[in-house]
């Protein structure tokens, strides 16, 4: 499932890097500023917005896992998304998926409205729509696979080739899988980014982001912008995310075991109309997922029978699942995309993206699987009365 190399990189990140004391775990450096050795004699770090040892260790760890050249740690996942906007000037076009993360959709469409660049929103599974969008010679194409909340797959390698043919750079949001389950740079992409708020930190106590470029020059340009705008991540958040990263390999294994069982359970439940999970052999993206991912992830969504009324009862009756945005933490979470994660998307755009009122998204945690299923069982039964 997880290659030994990635698991080892995650666990060993930053270990034994302290030359002064031999601390096994790297220290957290909170200092905002660094003394020069003398007049015009700089050290590696001078000011923590620009560079910080704790943040640098975490950024390098993710760059190693994604096999990229430069890792840039940002204050939030959204600031990582915003950072790529710095590559676009007013005449440039960016192509985004119609079912991308609600916050990304909101950012790109609103900046485009203000004339900062042009945006084309497409269904990236529609080959003709994608070809039409690419004929506009975009500067940048954003991919998200699997997508949120419907877990649609995009063939990253194939689409990246098409984008490169028209001279576009490709950036992939890899938040749903983490670098342990998918490495977009190895599939040809130029930029990969994460909301570390999710699986990478994994304990729902940090909001953060990270972006990795394949090319050193592009990475340096974006690092320059991250410092210029002032969106680099805090040392404390970097420390926590680095700590979370060390258990990512084992967390992912357990997330996966639990998710496969929940998906099977939901599929056979009379209260459920449809389950969206790439691990199913009849999921339209199953073959692509098998090819480009090392497992199917622990996110899924489903349509419940009985519409919004049934959704409300389900949420009310669940005891173990927490009704909350976010995902990728050790605890199981449930959410209603239309009114929560995707509320930043106009209702027409939601409908176009296939987000209905009876759609429910779940992030499967690592609690005991019997407890997870019992909780779903009692709440689903109540929802159908
Ligand atoms: C959460 C999320 C983001 C935004 O990250 P924040 O850390 O909340 O700013 C971007 N993309 C995806 C897929 C996400 O789930």
């Amino acid at each position: 499932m997880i290659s030994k190399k990635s698991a080892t990189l995650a666990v060993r990140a930053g270990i034994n890097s302290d030359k002064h004391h031999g601390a096994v775990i790297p220290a957290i450096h909170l200092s905002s500023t660094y003394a020069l050795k003398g007049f015009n004699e700089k050290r590696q770090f001078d000011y923590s917005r620009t560079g910080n040892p704790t943040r640098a260790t975490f950024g390098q760890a993710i760059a190693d896992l994604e096999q990229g050249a430069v890792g840039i740690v940002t204050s939030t996942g959204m600031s990582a998304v915003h950072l790529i906007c710095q590559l676009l000037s007013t005449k440039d076009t960016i192509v985004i998926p119609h079912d991308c993360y609600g916050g990304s959709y909101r950012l790109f469409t609103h900046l485009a409205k203000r004339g900062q660049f042009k945006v084309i929103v497409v269904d990236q599974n529609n080959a003709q729509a994608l070809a039409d969008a690419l004929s506009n010679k975009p500067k940048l194409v954003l991919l998200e696979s699997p997508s949120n909340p419907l877990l649609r797959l995009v063939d990253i390698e194939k689409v990246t080739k098409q984008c490169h043919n028209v001279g576009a750079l490709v950036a992939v949001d890899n938040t749903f899988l983490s670098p342990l389950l998918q490495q977009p740079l190895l599939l040809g992409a130029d930029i990969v980014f994460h909301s570390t708020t999710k699986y990478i930190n994994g304990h729902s106590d940090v909001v953060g982001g990270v972006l990795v470029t394949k090319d050193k020059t592009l990475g340096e340009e974006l690092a320059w912008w991250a410092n210029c705008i002032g969106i680099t991540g805090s040392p404390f958040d970097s420390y926590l995310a680095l700590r979370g990263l060390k258990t990512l390999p084992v967390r992912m294994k357990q997330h996966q075991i639990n998710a496969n069982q929940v998906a099977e359970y939901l599929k056979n439940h009379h209260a459920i109309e449809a389950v969206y999970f790439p691990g199913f052999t009849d999921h339209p993206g199953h073959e692509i997922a098998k090819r480009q991912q090392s497992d199917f992830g622990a996110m899924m969504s489903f349509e419940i029978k009985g519409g919004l009324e049934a959704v409300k009862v389900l949420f009310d009756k669940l005891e173990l699942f927490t009704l909350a945005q976010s995902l990728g933490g050790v605890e199981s979470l449930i959410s209603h995309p239309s009114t929560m994660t995707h509320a930043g998307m106009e209702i027409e755009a939601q409908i176009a993206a296939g987000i209905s009122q009876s759609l429910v998204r779940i992030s499967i945690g690592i609690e005991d699987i019997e407890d997870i299923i019992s909780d779903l069982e009692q709440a689903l039964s109540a929802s159908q009365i």
Side-chain angles (χ1 to χ4, degrees):
M1 174 176 145
I2 289 160
S3 89
K4 181 161 172 261
K5 202 162 168 246
S6 291
T8 308
L9 284 174
V11 173
R12 304 286 315 177
I15 284 185
N16 292 344
S17 59
D18 177 15
K19 298 287 174 270
H20 297 292
H21 306 292
V24 175
I25 296 301
I28 167 170
H29 290 271
L30 295 171
S31 187
S32 57
T33 190
Y34 298 84
L36 277 75
K37 282 187 200 153
F39 178 75
N40 217 3
E41 281 184 69
K42 281 190 182 169
R43 298 176 201 263
Q44 185 185 355
F45 299 104
D46 59 1
Y47 185 61
S48 273
R49 171 169 26 81
T50 320
N52 171 281
T54 316
R55 190 167 68 229
T57 304
F58 176 54
Q60 189 58 50
I62 303 297
D64 291 347
L65 279 166
E66 291 285 11
Q67 298 195 34
V70 179
I72 304 164
V73 179
T74 56
S75 55
T76 65
M78 282 317 300
S79 56
V81 179
H82 196 194
L83 188 54
I84 63 173
C85 296
Q86 303 309 321
L87 297 171
L88 303 166
S89 57
T90 48
K91 289 196 173 59
D92 292 328
T93 298
I94 178 170
V95 175
I96 65 167
H98 72 162
D99 52 356
C100 64
Y101 176 70
S104 305
Y105 179 88
R106 178 174 57 192
L107 179 70
F108 288 120
T109 53
H110 281 77
L111 287 179
K113 258 187 214 152
R114 281 170 45 183
Q116 294 211 1
F117 45 75
K118 296 187 189 75
V119 68
I120 301 178
V121 182
V122 290
D123 172 356
Q124 286 167 153
N125 284 126
N126 179 333
Q128 191 55 51
L130 183 65
D132 290 347
L134 292 183
S135 69
N136 290 285
K137 298 238 179 301
K139 174 98 186 269
L140 194 60
V141 176
L142 177 75
L143 303 182
E144 203 177 307
S145 181
S147 73
N148 179 17
L150 285 163
L151 288 307
R152 293 186 177 128
L153 272 287
V154 179
D155 187 330
I156 297 175
E157 192 166 16
K158 184 171 143 199
V159 172
T160 297
K161 276 195 191 124
Q162 292 167 345
C163 296
H164 285 170
N165 283 343
V166 297
L169 289 171
V170 174
V172 180
D173 186 337
N174 202 20
T175 302
F176 264 39
L177 292 176
S178 92
L180 289 175
L181 299 192
Q182 179 168 272
Q183 293 163 298
L185 300 185
L186 300 186
L187 298 166
D190 304 285
I191 298 171
V192 57
F193 64 88
H194 296 266
S195 163
T196 55
T197 315
K198 317 295 167 51
Y199 286 103
I200 290 180
N201 178 64
H203 293 74
S204 305
D205 52 8
V206 166
V207 175
V210 66
L211 179 150
V212 178
T213 62
K214 186 158 58 187
D215 177 69
K216 190 156 177 276
T217 311
L218 181 64
E220 282 164 355
E221 181 184 347
L222 288 171
W224 185 90
W225 274 111
N227 173 52
C228 181
I229 319 166
I231 55 166
T232 48
S234 84
F236 196 71
D237 289 349
S238 302
Y239 173 81
L240 283 176
L242 184 66
R243 177 181 154 125
L245 179 68
K246 295 183 190 300
T247 56
L248 180 63
V250 284
R251 282 189 280 113
M252 269 305 181
K253 277 185 190 159
Q254 195 58 45
H255 276 301
Q256 205 58 71
I257 291 169
N258 286 1
N260 289 333
Q261 291 197 40
V262 172
E264 273 311 316
Y265 161 78
L266 290 173
K267 192 178 196 178
N268 299 315
H269 202 286
H270 64 86
I272 307 287
E273 203 94 55
V275 184
Y276 307 107
F277 180 62
F280 292 148
T281 50
D282 60 355
H283 182 284
H286 181 73
E287 288 307 317
I288 299 173
K290 262 181 28 187
R291 219 170 33 242
Q292 70 189 17
Q293 303 176 191
S294 56
D295 216 323
F296 300 109
M299 293 300 299
M300 65 192 74
S301 54
F302 60 86
E303 309 270 355
I304 189 168
K305 287 183 187 154
L308 202 51
E309 282 313 307
V311 171
K312 285 183 192 158
V313 177
L314 175 75
F315 289 172
D316 190 42
K317 294 287 176 193
L318 282 169
E319 290 171 19
L320 186 143
F321 277 81
T322 306
L323 176 59
Q325 319 227 25
S326 201
L327 60 109
V330 290
E331 70 290 340
S332 292
L333 297 179
I334 192 156
S335 69
H336 186 238
S338 174
T339 55
M340 294 169 67
T341 49
H342 288 66
M345 223 168 171
E346 305 80 21
I347 206 82
E348 304 77 51
Q350 286 189 14
I351 292 166
I355 301 168
S356 78
Q357 291 300 304
S358 45
L359 184 74
V360 171
R361 188 188 82 180
I362 46 179
S363 169
I364 304 300
I366 62 171
E367 301 94 339
D368 190 287
I369 185 62
E370 285 181 24
D371 292 334
I372 294 177
I373 299 220
S374 314
D375 194 34
L376 286 168
E377 179 61 30
Q378 58 85 19
L380 282 172
S381 309
S383 76
Q384 300 300 303
I385 294 166

